[in-house]
Amino acid sequence: MKKLISLLLSAVLLASLLAGCGTAAPESHGDIKVVTTIFPIYDWIREVAQDDVDINLDLLLDNGVDLHSYQPTAKDIMDISDCDIFIYVGGESDEWVDDTLAQADNKNMTVLDLMDILGDKAKEEEVKEGMQEDDHEHEEGKEEEHEEGPEYDEHVWLSLKNTSLFVGKIAEALSKADPQHADAFKANAASYQEKLSALDTQYQQAVDNASVKTLLFGDRFPFRYLTDDYGLDYYAAFVGCSAESEASFETISFLSGKVDELNLKSIMQIETSDGSIAKTVKENTKTKDQQILTLDSIQGVTSDRIQAGETYLSVMESNLTVLKQALK
């Protein structure tokens, strides 16, 4: 991956040199260029910026590819290189960012790293009972890599509480870049934070009133921040950032046994799943009558979904509806 980034950076530098020859580049007319990686951040910026025409916002992951499999193109790196504000998640999937920022043209760029903002509230990836570990963790030499430090769960946007914190930092960054509209940014952020808080309260009430307090995923599990926020327990086939797609007999057997033991009426999956693991878990339970429900981890939102009016809040509201079903 680092070799690929180096090659892309070389291409970007060459393009920059060629662009400097001949006619001068057109003026930017004071546009503030903001680049982000994933849809949740993009949508938060839209909420804070609202109709500010000075904000030129660019989303890199708008084609359905999720954070874990994304590889930046030369154009992506060039877009980041000269932007005014760059906001990204900051987990292992974003390791390519350091090299990109080191070569950036705009040395005055404001950079927000969500994992860094979260600080000691960031959660380590948790391998729970019955969960299948990635095969790559057992390859020769991988043990040494993991001795360097813990792996953190990157899915920080799936906590409404975290999001409120991030929105405040986004308002600060936009206010610094465009002081003329600082009051509007802060007011927009405060209004949006009120909506986040109201939805957060609805989630807590749903959990408090639920007869079931455990979710079981026949899939990856990117919802640890959400479940921890509301005191829910969970079981899953894989950790949230797992690259695995096939569950072992032991994993299926364990999850099916938990469904029976806890008398769960629902088996969960995420939006990118083909449903095969959840169906296999269901087929190995005693009653085989559970409903399979889908929670959206908001990882691979496409431009079509954005144009159709989808927002971070609308997805989290839909997730609440699904959660209420799962906790019956």
Side-chain angles (χ1 to χ4, degrees):
M1 184 64 173
K2 285 192 173 181
K3 186 176 181 182
L4 173 62
I5 297 299
S6 296
L7 290 172
L8 288 172
L9 287 169
S10 297
V12 170
L13 289 172
L14 178 59
S16 298
L17 289 171
L18 292 173
C21 300
T23 58
E27 293 181 10
S28 66
H29 302 293
D31 280 353
I32 297 164
K33 186 175 177 182
V34 184
V35 176
T36 187
T37 50
I38 63 170
F39 171 73
I41 304 173
Y42 172 86
D43 195 49
W44 303 336
I45 297 167
R46 289 195 303 180
E47 291 288 346
V48 175
Q50 291 290 337
D51 54 359
D52 188 337
V53 295
D54 291 331
I55 302 298
N56 180 0
L57 180 56
D58 188 17
L59 171 64
L60 299 184
L61 279 75
D62 65 351
N63 59 357
V65 174
D66 75 23
L67 183 69
H68 309 99
S69 52
Y70 168 68
Q71 292 186 358
T73 65
K75 181 184 180 303
D76 292 340
I77 292 176
M78 189 175 289
D79 286 341
I80 295 168
S81 180
D82 66 352
C83 75
D84 299 292
I85 301 173
F86 177 55
I87 309 177
Y88 67 112
V89 175
E92 279 198 5
S93 298
D94 282 341
E95 285 184 340
W96 56 271
V97 169
D98 289 342
D99 289 337
T100 301
L101 293 179
Q103 300 294 329
D105 293 335
N106 183 4
K107 301 303 180 184
N108 296 317
M109 182 193 308
T110 296
V111 178
L112 296 185
D113 173 336
L114 300 191
M115 297 290 284
D116 186 56
I117 291 171
L118 208 55
D120 58 10
K121 292 182 180 178
K123 299 179 184 296
E124 293 182 29
E125 273 198 345
E126 181 180 44
V127 179
K128 285 205 63 167
E129 180 187 9
M131 190 178 280
Q132 185 170 315
E133 294 188 50
D134 282 3
D135 287 342
H136 72 79
E137 293 188 5
H138 301 289
E139 293 173 8
E140 186 177 355
K142 287 292 179 181
E143 292 82 358
E144 294 180 8
E145 287 187 20
H146 291 289
E147 286 176 5
E148 295 176 3
E151 292 185 29
Y152 288 92
D153 191 320
E154 300 173 351
H155 307 91
V156 294
W157 61 88
L158 290 169
S159 163
L160 292 161
K161 293 175 172 55
N162 288 351
T163 296
S164 186
L165 171 64
F166 300 145
V167 166
K169 295 298 183 181
I170 287 169
E172 291 176 11
L174 292 180
S175 297
K176 178 182 175 183
D178 185 6
Q180 228 177 353
H181 297 106
D183 289 343
F185 295 144
K186 291 171 185 174
N188 293 339
S191 175
Y192 190 57
Q193 286 168 325
E194 286 180 8
K195 295 176 184 177
L196 292 167
S197 179
L199 187 57
D200 177 42
T201 298
Q202 291 177 48
Y203 266 87
Q204 189 63 64
Q205 289 173 343
V207 173
D208 290 345
N209 295 328
S211 56
V212 175
K213 307 291 186 182
T214 302
L215 298 175
L216 186 138
F217 277 73
D219 209 335
R220 288 189 286 149
F221 182 74
F223 291 97
R224 186 174 171 213
Y225 287 94
L226 187 148
T227 54
D228 281 7
D229 276 352
Y230 308 114
L232 289 169
D233 196 8
Y234 73 91
Y235 295 95
F238 316 111
V239 297
C241 295
S242 174
E244 298 297 316
S245 58
E246 295 185 12
S248 67
F249 170 79
E250 290 79 11
T251 297
I252 295 293
S253 178
F254 176 85
L255 293 176
S256 299
K258 275 296 174 185
V259 172
D260 293 334
E261 175 191 334
L262 300 173
N263 194 28
L264 299 178
K265 305 302 182 186
S266 302
I267 298 169
M268 313 301 294
Q269 62 185 13
I270 65 173
E271 77 284 0
T272 56
S273 174
D274 65 3
S276 60
I277 298 176
K279 289 174 186 173
T280 304
V281 171
K282 176 180 176 178
E283 289 165 1
N284 283 274
T285 63
K286 291 177 181 177
T287 60
K288 300 177 175 56
D289 61 353
Q290 297 79 18
Q291 59 183 339
I292 296 177
L293 300 176
T294 302
L295 280 179
D296 195 330
S297 60
I298 331 181
Q299 296 187 75
V301 177
T302 62
S303 54
D304 288 342
R305 287 171 64 181
I306 297 170
Q307 289 171 10
E310 192 157 87
T311 66
Y312 171 80
L313 272 181
S314 71
V315 178
M316 292 300 286
E317 286 165 352
S318 296
N319 279 344
L320 176 57
T321 300
V322 174
L323 187 66
K324 287 177 180 178
Q325 286 182 269
L327 298 180
K328 288 181 179 178

